[in-house]
Amino acid sequence: MIVCTSISQFREERARLLAASETPGSLGLFPTMGYLHAGHAEMIRIARKENRLVAVSIFVNPLQFGPHEDLERYPRSPEADEQLCRLLDVDLLFMPSIVEMYGQQPVLSSVHVGMLGSHLCGTSRPGHFDGVCTVVAKLFNIVMPTRAYFSRKDAQQLRIVQQMTRDLSFPVEIVAGPIVREEDGLAISSRNAYLTASERSIAPRIAQTLRTIQRRVAQGERDVALLQREAVHTLEAYEGIRVDYLSFVDPDTLQPFTTLVPGRETLCAAAVYVGKTRLIDNIDVRAPASTEYTVTARGKR
Ligand code: AMP
């Protein structure tokens, strides 16, 4: 595995590795903010199966954090991340500094995401998806991947990146990956590290509530307002839990539904504060539960 910290070094190594291959090969990119966990590992394994070369980027992107968010304290573990990437047979690990990515000057050009970024997480994190798309566009230009991997864990991000790729004609195939969960159902996230022991014990309620909604819809419930009320009531009965949003949306337009239509694809997406930690999760409430690909893992890896 080659570890690159500069854009020029990455470009040189990429060209060298591709030139060394006898047949023209594909390059899969998995962009991350590091503190790698079992969810990231599964995505890397998928990319490994589908590409001749695999690149992972680790960059805590300041542009996607709001002024009062957790940029400074976002968890980091560069040595462990590097070790895991080696273990998973990654070819190129790109770990640039902020100055390497954005220079010393303020960033003057950025990608602007339209209406797909204005609600759900966009409401409480204004500008977040502009920051995500700006760094993803830069990574696409630096890495020039054949495919790029994004998990359904961040469903709105995945949809927005798909749209940006189409709108800006990046020659990149966006591959959607699974949500990897802990054994108790909690979607694995680097931010789970913020949870105290008692917060960690109630955090699985989020996934359990989404499953309950999925079951209620499968049994015929169609009243979105009722399902929302019930879910918020169940979750907020736990001290320390506060629902930021819990919405039923069209997975394509991300527009909210007020009623559920049988057979119509519907995503139930939620952002929930557990203590001060904001966690997100989602579930497809039309498909049967068995379509969700779940890998369980204990602990951080
Ligand atoms: P992050 O490092 O949190 O910015 O995430 C980098 C990528 O990993 C994104 O595509 C995320 O959706 C994905 N990811 C985060 N959590 C999980 C998970 N539990 N299962 C699978 N992929 C995940």
Side-chain angles (χ1 to χ4, degrees):
M1 185 177 80
I2 301 159
V3 182
C4 303
T5 53
S6 79
I7 296 171
S8 58
Q9 183 196 5
F10 184 90
R11 287 190 165 131
E12 271 167 35
E13 296 294 354
R14 174 196 183 280
R16 200 179 55 73
L17 285 180
L18 284 173
S21 72
E22 281 160 22
T23 50
S26 58
L27 169 56
L29 167 67
F30 179 49
T32 80
M33 296 207 298
Y35 203 66
L36 301 182
H37 51 60
H40 295 121
E42 181 61 13
M43 295 291 291
I44 296 172
R45 280 188 207 103
I46 294 169
R48 181 69 281 168
K49 279 192 206 124
E50 297 178 356
N51 298 277
R52 208 186 68 69
L53 293 178
V54 173
V56 171
S57 63
I58 295 181
F59 181 60
V60 182
N61 173 33
L63 292 195
Q64 68 190 70
F65 287 79
H68 305 295
E69 291 185 353
D70 56 342
L71 173 62
E72 297 306 327
R73 66 184 196 114
Y74 192 84
R76 294 157 215 249
S77 56
E79 288 88 15
D81 292 352
E82 188 178 325
Q83 210 181 330
L84 181 69
C85 287
R86 275 186 207 285
L87 215 79
L88 294 171
D89 202 20
V90 169
D91 299 287
L92 289 157
L93 176 60
F94 182 47
M95 304 171 87
S97 66
I98 293 175
V99 171
E100 180 64 19
M101 283 298 266
Y102 294 119
Q104 297 284 5
Q105 308 296 323
V107 179
L108 297 179
S109 309
S110 67
V111 176
H112 174 63
V113 175
M115 56 185 262
L116 290 178
S118 63
H119 40 274
L120 300 177
C121 285
T123 309
S124 46
R125 305 189 74 189
H128 168 69
F129 291 111
D130 289 5
V132 169
C133 281
T134 301
V135 81
V136 170
K138 280 175 73 76
L139 289 168
F140 284 0
N141 284 326
I142 295 163
V143 177
M144 293 191 287
T146 322
R147 301 187 185 90
Y149 292 78
F150 294 85
S151 158
R152 282 187 279 272
K153 159 75 167 53
D154 298 272
Q156 187 174 17
Q157 169 176 281
L158 166 65
R159 178 64 195 94
I160 286 171
V161 167
Q162 283 169 336
Q163 189 68 37
M164 177 194 71
T165 304
R166 198 182 309 156
D167 289 345
L168 302 185
S169 303
F170 283 108
V172 179
E173 180 191 341
I174 305 301
V175 183
I179 303 175
V180 179
R181 297 177 180 281
E182 301 283 3
E183 279 179 358
D184 57 15
L186 175 66
I188 303 180
S189 162
S190 303
R191 287 191 169 97
N192 292 351
Y194 295 149
L195 301 172
T196 63
S198 70
E199 289 166 351
R200 174 64 188 80
S201 70
I202 55 172
R205 300 294 169 194
I206 303 168
Q208 286 163 13
T209 304
L210 293 178
R211 290 235 165 85
T212 302
I213 290 172
Q214 188 186 51
R215 212 167 33 246
R216 300 261 287 120
V217 173
Q219 287 163 354
E221 184 55 62
R222 300 285 173 255
D223 185 340
V224 164
L226 173 73
L227 289 166
Q228 279 169 325
R229 234 179 7 253
E230 281 178 0
V232 172
H233 181 76
T234 308
L235 283 167
E236 293 190 347
Y238 293 91
E239 202 181 316
I241 291 194
R242 185 168 64 78
V243 177
D244 182 17
Y245 68 78
L246 188 144
S247 301
F248 293 76
V249 299
D250 182 322
D252 189 45
T253 64
L254 302 181
Q255 289 298 317
F257 290 140
T258 50
T259 183
L260 300 174
V261 174
R264 181 174 66 182
E265 266 190 74
T266 304
L267 186 75
C268 180
V272 176
Y273 285 95
V274 180
K276 290 197 172 100
T277 306
R278 187 174 173 280
L279 301 177
I280 58 170
D281 200 351
N282 67 83
I283 199 162
D284 180 345
V285 292
R286 186 195 64 165
S290 61
T291 60
E292 195 186 0
Y293 180 129
T294 301
V295 178
T296 56
R298 266 195 182 282
K300 186 168 169 259
R301 295 231 155 82

